[in-house]
Amino acid sequence: MASNSSTLLLLLLLLISSTISFAANECSAPSRGECYDKPKALKLKLIAIATILISSMIGVCLPLFTRSIPALSPDRNLFALVKAFASGVILATGYMHVLPDSFDNLSSPCLPESPWRKFPFTAFVAMLSAVFTLMVDSLMLTFYKGKSGSKGSGIVEVVDCESPLGNEIVHGHGHGHGHGALMVDGKDGEESRLRRNRIIAQVLEMGIVVHSVVIGLSMGASQNPCTIRPLVAALCFHQLFEGMGLGGCILQAEYGMKMKSILVFFFSTTTPFGIALGIGLSNVYSDNSPTALIVVGLLNASSAGLLHYMALVDLLAADFMGPKLQGNVKLQLWAYVAVLLGAGGMSIMAKWA
């Protein structure tokens, strides 16, 4: 959780420092148009803060209460389908929302042609972000395994992160190969599964927090009600189902109440906080200033790479290559449908967001 807090603090420092040159370096802004209405926009943004906060809390908290509903417990098929749907939402968020925004920012005519329009910085930074996320994922696992001091016992356990009950024991000499599975000693299987799920939850939240603050800042700085109105509905949908995906990971991490509350708080409040920050900076913030375009574009590209990696590797690959879906072809096909529905819904939302 400390990494999440430091990342958010770094982000805020970058955004605040960038505002120093916003007014001086402002690119020629487009005409305000008929929809420019500052008082009406402020009213919509205040409504957005409340509705997005509520949607975020419902989405992230819903999976945490599924243990009291037998049909939605983590070992049931319905939970696998809901998680697949939410994973599709997270995947589409990276590809259909965050990445195009970064391309728009870093290829803007407000930036110098060299180097910004001569080199695909968005794709490059997203690629580096995905590799960096893999590195963090791997090194954190190595660190925790080394810290636990586990020794090979000749038994390898394939941990399916999709379900706390979906573990398989494979006898051998401590060597194995699996897709989206974590190979650990059987005697340390429970601890290794928890470590893995906690890393997934923390890294995923880190990427979502960065993206949420950036998109909230953009909405908060806008004075166009015609843009804000559909964006409120899109973000409520986005936060609801993205929260369900994160909530499922938090549930599987089996944190205590205090840690769960901290993770829920950070996810639920970052977009409203970004909107409030954008409102406060609206007099000096210009989304056409070179500094703003570069800072927001690079942050979006980094967030996109992280979300792509987490959605494809730690969520979808781990689930679909795990024993639960591999042992049930019908459930696996329905899970694919759920992924496509989640990704399709978020892709449609990209039209308004």
Side-chain angles (χ1 to χ4, degrees):
M1 192 60 218
S3 62
N4 291 340
S5 303
S6 60
T7 301
L8 181 58
L9 179 60
L10 177 61
L11 171 64
L12 296 180
L13 289 175
L14 286 171
L15 292 173
I16 293 172
S17 64
S18 67
T19 62
I20 297 174
S21 57
F22 279 178
N25 297 326
E26 186 173 343
C27 178
S28 56
S31 61
R32 290 180 173 180
E34 298 178 359
C35 266
Y36 182 88
D37 189 336
K38 191 171 183 178
K40 189 175 182 180
L42 178 60
K43 182 179 179 180
L44 286 174
K45 285 183 278 191
L46 294 176
I47 294 173
I49 289 176
T51 56
I52 292 173
L53 177 64
I54 293 172
S55 298
S56 301
M57 292 187 66
I58 292 174
V60 73
C61 290
L62 192 60
L64 303 181
F65 295 100
T66 55
R67 292 192 185 277
S68 59
I69 305 174
L72 291 175
S73 61
D75 59 321
R76 297 299 181 92
N77 292 344
L78 184 57
F79 181 85
L81 296 178
V82 171
K83 189 182 176 189
F85 178 89
S87 299
V89 170
I90 294 172
L91 182 65
T93 297
Y95 276 107
M96 299 301 296
H97 291 254
V98 189
L99 202 60
D101 287 347
S102 180
F103 273 113
D104 289 342
N105 291 330
L106 298 182
S107 62
S108 170
C110 295
L111 295 179
E113 183 175 354
S114 180
W116 298 104
R117 294 199 295 280
K118 289 188 175 181
F119 184 81
F121 280 98
T122 292
F124 180 69
V125 173
M127 176 184 69
L128 291 182
S129 176
V131 174
F132 179 75
T133 305
L134 169 64
M135 183 178 71
V136 171
D137 211 5
S138 174
L139 290 177
M140 286 178 72
L141 280 174
T142 302
F143 172 77
Y144 283 120
K145 286 174 69 177
K147 191 175 180 180
S148 66
S150 58
K151 304 293 183 180
S153 62
I155 300 178
V156 175
E157 182 179 6
V158 183
V159 178
D160 174 24
C161 294
E162 188 275 331
S163 169
L165 303 180
N167 296 339
E168 286 186 348
I169 304 298
V170 180
H171 294 270
H173 298 287
H175 301 283
H177 176 75
H179 299 278
L182 175 66
M183 313 301 286
V184 296
D185 285 287
K187 65 179 182 179
D188 295 320
E190 184 67 18
E191 289 184 8
S192 297
R193 179 183 61 77
L194 284 176
R195 284 197 299 266
R196 178 62 175 161
N197 288 341
R198 288 175 179 178
I199 290 171
I200 290 173
Q202 291 181 14
V203 175
L204 179 60
E205 173 142 334
M206 181 173 63
I208 292 174
V209 162
V210 172
H211 166 57
S212 296
V213 173
V214 170
I215 197 170
L217 179 66
S218 300
M219 176 189 279
S222 175
Q223 307 295 354
N224 189 333
C226 296
T227 300
I228 296 173
R229 191 177 294 108
L231 190 58
V232 173
L235 284 179
C236 286
F237 178 91
H238 174 280
Q239 293 295 105
L240 177 67
F241 290 105
E242 192 173 54
M244 290 175 64
L246 178 61
C249 292
I250 295 174
L251 174 66
Q252 292 172 339
E254 299 183 18
Y255 284 119
M257 184 57 65
K258 180 180 178 180
M259 192 62 176
K260 286 180 181 177
S261 300
I262 293 174
L263 293 172
V264 168
F265 173 81
F266 267 81
F267 173 78
S268 302
T269 58
T270 45
T271 301
F273 173 77
I275 297 173
L277 183 63
I279 293 173
L281 298 176
S282 58
N283 291 328
V284 292
Y285 177 91
S286 170
D287 54 8
N288 287 320
S289 74
T291 306
L293 289 168
I294 292 171
V295 171
V296 174
L298 292 178
L299 287 173
N300 273 332
S302 299
S303 181
L306 190 153
L307 291 175
H308 293 167
Y309 173 86
M310 295 301 299
L312 289 172
V313 178
D314 282 337
L315 297 177
L316 291 173
D319 290 354
F320 281 94
M321 300 302 176
K324 185 179 184 69
L325 293 183
Q326 284 291 309
N328 189 333
V329 176
K330 183 178 179 180
L331 178 61
Q332 186 176 155
L333 293 176
W334 278 112
Y336 279 119
V337 172
V339 172
L340 293 175
L341 287 175
M346 283 306 297
S347 299
I348 293 174
M349 287 293 111
K351 178 181 178 181
W352 294 281

